[in-house]
Amino acid sequence: MTENILEEMTNRYNQMTRSGKLLANYIFANTEKAQYLSISSLAENCGVSEATITRFCRMLGLSGYNDLKLALAKTSHPNELGEFSDQPQGIFTTDTMATIGKKLRDAFFISVNETLEQMEPVSFNRAVRYLHRARQVFCFGHGGNTVLAQDAWARFSQVTNKFIHIADSHMQIMATSLASSQDVILFFSYSGSTKDAEELLTLAKKRQIPVILLTHFRNSMAAQLADVVLLCGYNESPLQSGCIAAKIGQLLLLECLYYGYCNQDPDAIQEARAATSEAISKKLL
């Protein structure tokens, strides 16, 4: 495979099947956009199957779809620090700290605004009801999303002890295998398309455990397995994996869930807040 994926596609174009050419034509015309799409969204936009995309990747010498997205990202024109200049502005080595701060602020605003625009009251209220009625709520995530899951556990621990955080993927599977329909899984996954997520959520589906998913992609694998999907904003480039702007949207959704949960039983919540605040105050100097 050549270093430039677009050149490789051009070299192999005449060897492609009809569906392969449809896919290639779309990528040629939408190189920037394609790198932000889930495999489901790309398949829908091109009118091909996900299996076709997988075969297309292997034909190009790639191990899978994520490798294709990364290769497309590398063909764009990154600035000196490897961030793309279109979302919303790249950060250069010549930027002052004040300029960097303003550019990051703009990215955070984009994330918050896009998240609010996609918020669906029906799905949000359903998620709050699940959390309120649950016997236990397991806060799960993988990779960088583990931090968000831990934040969820820490946030809700101020008002209830039924939220549980487990970081290790093996222990998550074990906990899920013993959970029931009376429990809930609050799952964080920006892409919604990882092997660990598929394994865990498939098991949750089998055991009829309600799943609330915070993700960016409506048509992702995880979204198909979840009972409630809450969408966060901001298009994260494959070269920006783990960027804070992408997490801001999920944190906004988390905070909304927290206050929605508190509104279900204000008197009990106020009493719990007072108890935990008093306990923590003794640790302060």
Side-chain angles (χ1 to χ4, degrees), residues 18-282:
R18 178 178 175 277
S19 57
K21 289 179 179 178
L22 284 175
L23 178 56
N25 290 340
Y26 181 87
I27 292 175
F28 282 136
N30 302 275
T31 304
E32 287 287 345
K33 179 180 179 181
Q35 65 186 268
Y36 297 106
L37 298 176
S38 67
I39 188 171
S40 300
S41 297
L42 180 60
E44 182 178 351
N45 289 356
C46 299
V48 302
S49 67
E50 292 182 23
T52 294
I53 297 176
T54 299
R55 289 193 295 270
F56 182 84
C57 294
R58 291 173 180 167
M59 180 266 295
L60 294 174
L62 303 170
S63 62
Y65 180 59
N66 286 329
D67 278 356
L68 175 61
K69 292 174 64 175
L70 184 58
L72 290 174
K74 289 178 179 179
T75 64
S76 300
H77 300 287
N79 63 30
E80 294 179 19
L81 294 186
E83 305 286 354
F84 287 94
S85 59
D86 60 341
Q87 201 64 1
Q89 278 187 300
I91 296 175
F92 297 84
T93 56
T94 53
D95 288 340
T96 64
M97 287 307 301
T99 300
I100 291 173
K102 290 177 182 178
K103 289 182 176 181
L104 292 176
R105 176 202 60 190
D106 293 343
F108 295 165
F109 281 159
I110 287 175
S111 181
V112 168
N113 291 335
E114 289 182 352
T115 299
L116 288 175
E117 289 171 3
Q118 297 180 94
M119 188 175 289
E120 300 172 342
V122 173
S123 296
F124 179 81
N125 291 332
R126 188 181 178 200
V128 169
R129 288 195 299 271
Y130 271 132
L131 295 177
H132 182 65
R133 297 172 183 173
R135 179 184 62 176
Q136 299 178 107
V137 179
F138 295 97
C139 303
F140 292 159
H142 298 127
N145 292 290
T146 302
V147 178
L148 293 168
Q150 187 174 25
D151 278 342
W153 163 65
R155 189 68 173 116
F156 280 93
S157 290
Q158 183 185 17
V159 295
T160 177
N161 61 3
K162 72 179 184 181
F163 281 69
I164 300 168
H165 172 250
I166 301 175
D168 182 80
S169 61
H170 291 187
M171 300 301 292
Q172 289 177 6
I173 286 290
M174 289 171 62
T176 302
S177 70
L178 297 176
S180 72
S181 58
Q182 294 179 302
D183 302 313
V184 168
I185 293 176
L186 181 60
F187 196 81
F188 295 81
S189 177
Y190 178 85
S191 71
S193 300
T194 66
K195 293 179 181 178
D196 283 337
E198 181 178 24
E199 181 182 23
L200 190 145
L201 297 187
T202 298
L203 177 59
K205 193 78 171 180
K206 181 179 178 181
R207 295 192 57 79
Q208 298 182 326
I209 306 167
V211 173
I212 300 169
L213 173 69
L214 280 68
T215 187
H216 182 66
F217 297 101
R218 185 184 298 275
N219 297 323
S220 64
M221 171 279 302
Q224 304 306 312
L225 294 169
D227 295 272
V228 180
V229 178
L230 303 178
L231 298 174
C232 64
Y234 197 79
N235 286 324
E236 181 184 71
S237 161
L239 295 178
Q240 290 177 304
S241 180
C243 71
I244 300 301
K247 289 182 171 65
I248 290 293
Q250 289 176 294
L251 288 172
L252 173 60
L253 291 174
L254 170 59
E255 193 74 345
C256 288
L257 286 176
Y258 172 79
Y259 282 103
Y261 180 89
C262 291
N263 285 339
Q264 297 297 299
D265 194 351
D267 292 337
I269 293 299
Q270 185 61 29
E271 184 178 345
R273 277 178 169 169
T276 54
S277 296
E278 181 179 350
I280 290 297
S281 66
K282 297 176 181 179

